[in-house]
Amino acid sequence: MIDCIFCRIVAGEIPATRVFEDADTIAFRDIHPAAPTHLLVIPKRHIASLEDVTGADCGILGRMLWNAQRAARAEGLADGGYRLVMNVGENAGQAVPHVHLHVLGGRPFSWPPG
Ligand code: 5GP
Ligand code: ZN
């Protein structure tokens, strides 16, 4: 298997607090939360970056967004609102090369981001 920390979480080799799972994606708590609620929604299949996505991946991307909504609702974030972030590449500060959607909530967020 490719040596990827999020693939290892999918495989259960590294523990993570899962809050949601379906056939294609999982959502788990970020180990260094940047907000009272901070989840990561990832595809179970390894995709390094949004830059590696093709039209064949539209289904999984849509499912990630839908599951971000479902996880945010389950966490009680829907009324107050929440922020979704996907970092892509170096300038954005992407640290883990496995596509992931941050779901952040439980406090107000400023705009523009730093
Ligand atoms: P990025 O900067 O790549 O967009 O975000 C990567 C995120 O993954 C960071 O917020 C970081 O805290 C989180 N993270 C890195 N390693 C682990 C881990 O082993 N477990 C969990 N739950 N989160 C991780
Ligand atoms: Zn991976």
Side-chain angles (χ1 to χ4, degrees):
M1 184 198 287
I2 186 168
D3 188 19
C4 165
I5 196 162
F6 285 178
C7 283
R8 295 186 68 195
I9 286 176
V10 170
E13 295 173 6
I14 294 176
T17 306
R18 300 182 184 212
V19 299
F20 189 91
E21 178 167 7
D22 69 9
D24 301 312
T25 71
I26 63 171
F28 55 94
R29 296 197 191 282
D30 195 293
I31 202 167
H32 297 304
T37 299
H38 187 170
L39 309 177
L40 299 170
V41 180
I42 70 169
K44 289 184 175 177
R45 176 166 60 86
H46 182 82
I47 304 171
S49 159
L50 190 69
E51 276 298 303
D52 295 300
V53 158
T54 70
D57 300 312
C58 286
I60 192 73
L61 291 175
R63 189 160 281 277
M64 285 171 65
L65 279 170
W66 185 41
N67 288 338
Q69 179 224 59
R70 296 162 84 188
R73 288 183 179 181
E75 292 287 307
L77 302 179
D79 285 346
Y82 51 92
R83 179 167 289 177
L84 304 183
V85 173
M86 183 179 286
N87 293 317
V88 183
E90 189 178 343
N91 275 353
Q94 182 181 357
V96 178
H98 181 130
V99 165
H100 51 280
L101 195 56
H102 296 257
V103 182
L104 298 144
R107 67 171 174 84
F109 298 99
S110 59
W111 191 265

